[in-house]
Amino acid sequence: MKITPIEQQPMLIKMNQLQQLSQYKNDIALPLQSFQASDVKFGQVFKSALDTVNDDGVKAANKITDIETGVSNDLVGAMIASQKASISFSALVQVRNKVIGALDEVLKMPV
């Protein structure tokens, strides 16, 4: 399978965004240029992540259904969409586990 330049562009943009998020200065993550610290709310970010994971799952399910019903013969695209949905779900579960662990630690703190 060869990735065409059209498919590479969104992937490169996403990789650059992730690289910017992973850069640290003095052990503090650099803020995104498009957001102020007061503009970002955890609930909004988490809901956005949930919506993205859900969309990935729906797209994968639709592609698999298209393969099964004979509407499409893009088996590779369906498998990639399925793996993308699986990876994004796994990442979301890991984030949720970290948040729950942090909340447990906060609740265990003496007042």
Side-chain angles (χ1 to χ4, degrees), residues 18-105:
L18 291 173
Q19 182 182 17
Q20 288 175 354
L21 286 173
S22 68
Q23 293 175 348
Y24 287 86
K25 182 177 182 181
N26 297 331
D27 295 329
I28 298 174
L30 296 174
L32 294 174
Q33 295 174 352
S34 60
F35 292 112
Q36 294 286 334
S38 62
D39 293 342
V40 179
K41 298 206 184 319
F42 178 76
Q44 292 172 340
V45 172
F46 204 72
K47 182 176 181 342
S48 173
L50 284 172
D51 291 341
T52 302
V53 170
N54 185 47
D55 290 343
D56 288 345
V58 169
K59 288 176 187 174
N62 288 340
K63 286 188 176 195
I64 291 171
T65 301
D66 288 347
I67 293 290
E68 291 172 345
T69 57
V71 174
S72 174
N73 62 352
D74 184 21
L75 182 60
V76 173
M79 294 305 294
I80 290 172
S82 176
Q83 287 298 312
K84 181 179 177 184
S86 175
I87 290 170
S88 63
F89 182 75
S90 296
L92 181 69
V93 169
Q94 289 178 11
V95 168
R96 184 213 53 179
N97 291 342
K98 289 287 185 181
V99 169
I100 295 297
L103 180 62
D104 285 344
E105 289 297 318

